[in-house]
């Protein structure tokens, strides 16, 4: 399965990815490293799309199922660098751990499935029915699932494996995420004569109190949380001015089956009722829209609405993955991600059968002294290999 030579290749690839910083929108150097390695490992083709996602393909000797391994290659920036005990871009090995930004989120996992897929294809002489795809996805830290739309349109996979950290457990779902914007519109005036204006912040304060009474639904995925995350007024700074505009942002954790309309409906109902009573209140609700520039120069844009998803434990793909992991010597629990992933697109939007599996701990992402244990990294690669063996079992 994984010889010592392959293990060393995996460790080296992880280090090389970490040594090339790749904040969202700056992934080009990592893409170049991945392309070189994929081609040297025997991938049949490597495609880079308009957003800069990189997709390597290994074709079996016969047509059949398509399985896609998904790993985002962008990272959050390094802050408080002086507090790191190791170089965040060094990829140094200390006490059996590789240190650096992205080791656990998720350059380690991406390295593991790139090597695992190449190893599987080499060992079976590509004697399988189907195609294997490995994707390095851009801009996930900002837009979960948006760049992935381009990948699924290109690959049209039957199955997807999200490689995010799972502590070697099998993930069959996640809550989604929506970023909701509530706006109130007032009338500016000099603060020495506030009666001549309409203070949008006072209006927002009342709106917030009423929204706080909304009770989101709850399922086996957890609570559909609705949490206020920031409030901003304009003009700012507003010395001697009654603010004419106020914007509040809410983080909404989404459950399976919730739609854009169903999520906004209770908030819109609150606003409609309040505006009926208060003729001076003007308010609206919508989803935030994000817009960023990719390293290719393309613009990536979309509403911040990323659906939840969940599969039954007895689903054929779930059971195939579980069997493959068990045969690899891994004894996974079947559970759900606590955070949002690209699965929001594959499973939540596109309805593609999706599971999650990856080495390392979920809580190491974005942390000071982020790292991945080499033992976990290697076990993760064995797990990916095992999933392939099970899915393509004759």
């Amino acid at each position: 399965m994984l010889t010592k030579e392959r293990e060393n290749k995996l460790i080296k690839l992880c280090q090389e990815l970490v040594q090339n910083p790749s904040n969202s929108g700056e992934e080009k150097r990592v893409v170049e490293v991945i392309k070189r390695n994929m081609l040297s490992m025997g991938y049949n083709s490597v495609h880079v799309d308009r957003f800069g996602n990189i997709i390597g393909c290994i074709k079996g000797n016969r047509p059949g199922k398509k399985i896609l391994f998904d790993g985002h290659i962008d990272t959050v920036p390094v802050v408080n660098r002086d507090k790191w005990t190791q170089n965040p871009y060094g990829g140094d090995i200390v006490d059996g751990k590789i240190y650096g930004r992205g080791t656990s989120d998720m350059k380690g996992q991406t390295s593991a499935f790139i090597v695992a897929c190449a190893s599987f294809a080499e060992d079976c002489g590509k004697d399988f029915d189907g195609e294997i795809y490995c994707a390095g996805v851009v801009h996930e830290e900002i837009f979960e699932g948006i760049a992935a739309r381009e990948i699924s349109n290109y690959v049209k996979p039957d199955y997807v494996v999200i490689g995010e950290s799972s502590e070697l457990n099998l993930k069959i779902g996640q809550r989604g995420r929506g970023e909701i914007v509530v706006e109130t519109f007032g009338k500016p005036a000099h603060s020495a004569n506030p009666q001549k204006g309409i203070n949008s912040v006072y209006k927002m304060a009342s709106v917030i109190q009423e929204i706080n009474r909304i009770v989101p639904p709850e399922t086996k995925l957890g609570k559909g949380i609705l949490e206020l995350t920031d409030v901003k007024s304009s003009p700012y700074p507003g010395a001697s001015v009654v603010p004419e505009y106020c914007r509040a942002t809410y983080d909404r954790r989404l459950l399976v089956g919730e739609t854009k309309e169903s999520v906004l409906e209770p908030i819109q109902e609150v606003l409609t009722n309040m505006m009926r009573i208060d003729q001076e209140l003007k308010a609206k609700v919508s989803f935030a829209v994000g817009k960023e520039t990719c390293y290719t120069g393309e613009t990536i844009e979309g509403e911040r609405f990323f659906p939840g998803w969940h599969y039954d434990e007895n689903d054929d793909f779930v059971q195939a993955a579980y069997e493959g992991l068990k045969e690899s010597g891994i004894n996974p629990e079947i559970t759900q991600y606590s955070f949002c992933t690209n699965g929001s697109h594959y499973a939540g939007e596109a309805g593609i059968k999706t599971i999650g599996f990856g080495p390392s701990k979920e809580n190491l992402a974005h942390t000071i002294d982020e790292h991945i244990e080499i033992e976990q990294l290697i076990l993760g690669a064995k797990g990916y290999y095992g999933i392939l063996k099970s899915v393509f079992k004759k």
Side-chain angles (χ1 to χ4, degrees):
M1 185 183 289
L2 284 189
T3 62
K4 195 67 180 175
E5 180 183 356
R6 287 171 176 171
E7 290 180 2
N8 289 335
K9 185 182 295 185
L10 168 55
I11 292 167
K12 183 179 178 183
L13 177 56
C14 179
Q15 289 178 296
E16 193 171 4
L17 295 187
V18 171
Q19 288 160 358
N20 287 274
S22 56
N23 293 344
S24 300
E26 302 172 4
E27 303 95 342
K28 183 177 181 180
R29 285 166 55 186
V30 165
V31 167
E32 291 170 349
V33 171
I34 290 174
K35 183 176 183 179
R36 172 168 44 80
N37 277 274
M38 282 180 167
L39 292 174
S40 71
M41 291 179 195
Y43 280 67
N44 291 92
S45 65
V46 179
H47 170 71
V48 179
D49 65 27
R50 64 192 182 104
F51 291 148
N53 299 308
I54 181 166
I55 309 161
C57 175
I58 301 173
K59 289 183 177 292
N61 292 335
R62 298 170 300 280
K65 310 164 191 169
K66 294 180 180 180
I67 186 168
L68 168 69
F69 290 81
D70 173 286
H72 70 82
I73 52 176
D74 64 321
T75 70
V76 296
V78 171
V79 295
N80 299 320
R81 184 166 180 166
D82 58 318
K83 294 184 178 179
W84 284 64
T85 63
Q86 307 296 329
N87 181 355
Y89 300 115
D92 299 317
I93 297 175
V94 181
D95 296 330
K97 303 170 185 175
I98 304 174
Y99 280 83
R101 174 59 79 226
T103 45
S104 275
D105 187 31
M106 54 175 299
K107 294 179 176 181
Q109 295 84 353
T110 303
S111 301
F113 63 64
I114 288 172
V115 171
C117 292
S119 300
F120 170 79
E122 182 179 14
D123 288 347
C124 71
K126 297 186 179 178
D127 184 23
F128 62 92
D129 302 335
E131 299 170 18
I132 300 168
Y133 291 85
C134 290
V137 189
V138 300
H139 270 294
E140 189 274 349
E141 292 288 2
I142 296 173
F143 285 130
E144 301 101 321
I146 303 299
R149 292 172 182 167
E150 197 80 2
I151 295 169
S152 66
N153 186 56
Y154 174 77
V155 175
K156 296 178 174 59
D158 298 291
Y159 307 118
V160 173
V161 179
I162 301 293
E164 294 270 15
S165 297
S166 72
E167 296 188 54
L168 302 176
N169 291 314
L170 180 58
K171 303 292 187 176
I172 59 172
Q174 62 162 79
R175 287 182 299 186
R177 184 172 71 85
E179 188 174 316
I180 297 173
V181 173
V182 177
E183 299 168 283
T184 54
F185 305 89
K187 178 181 177 182
H190 196 290
S191 56
N193 299 290
Q195 71 279 4
K196 294 184 177 180
I198 299 173
N199 193 313
S200 63
V201 176
Y202 289 156
K203 299 300 183 184
M204 181 63 77
S206 298
V207 166
I208 289 171
Q209 289 300 313
E210 291 304 310
I211 290 176
N212 199 42
R213 300 179 193 276
I214 295 172
V215 180
E218 183 173 356
T219 69
K220 56 189 172 184
L221 277 181
K223 295 180 178 180
I225 292 168
L226 177 64
E227 186 67 17
L228 179 67
T229 55
D230 69 50
V231 179
K232 297 180 180 178
S233 63
S234 178
Y236 183 86
S240 301
V241 179
V242 171
E244 63 178 315
Y245 173 77
C246 190
R247 169 187 170 120
T249 305
Y250 285 84
D251 185 312
R252 175 68 157 79
R253 295 293 149 162
L254 307 171
L255 306 177
V256 176
E258 291 195 289
T259 65
K260 293 178 182 179
E261 294 76 17
S262 69
V263 168
L264 293 188
E265 184 179 5
I267 300 176
Q268 183 60 62
E269 186 178 346
V270 165
L271 299 182
T272 300
N273 289 337
M274 292 184 71
M275 285 188 285
R276 187 180 299 117
I277 296 168
D278 181 355
Q279 299 300 311
E280 288 188 340
L281 175 62
K282 292 182 175 62
K284 63 178 288 191
V285 61
S286 62
F287 287 102
V289 175
K291 185 175 182 180
E292 300 285 339
T293 302
C294 301
Y295 76 85
T296 59
E298 286 280 341
T299 297
I300 186 167
E301 183 174 2
E303 279 188 315
R304 296 190 182 279
F305 181 90
F306 313 110
W309 55 279
H310 189 269
Y311 285 93
D312 189 275
E313 288 188 24
N314 296 316
D315 176 84
D316 290 345
F317 180 43
V318 172
Q319 285 302 308
Y322 183 75
E323 180 184 331
L325 293 174
K326 293 281 284 187
E327 291 179 358
S328 301
I330 297 169
N331 189 29
E333 292 183 30
I334 299 180
T335 181
Q336 300 88 32
Y337 280 120
S338 62
F339 53 88
C340 203
T341 75
N342 277 337
S344 285
H345 165 64
Y346 299 118
E349 291 181 344
I352 301 167
K353 289 195 173 187
T354 301
I355 55 103
F357 170 81
S360 201
K361 298 177 181 178
E362 299 176 18
N363 62 6
L364 288 174
H366 305 182
T367 59
I368 293 171
D369 281 341
E370 182 182 349
H371 62 270
I372 189 168
E373 296 177 7
I374 291 175
E375 181 183 8
Q376 280 269 315
L377 183 66
I378 293 170
L379 281 172
K382 290 180 179 178
Y384 295 129
Y385 191 111
I387 291 171
L388 287 169
K389 281 185 66 178
S390 185
V391 168
F392 290 113
K393 184 181 291 183
K394 292 183 180 179

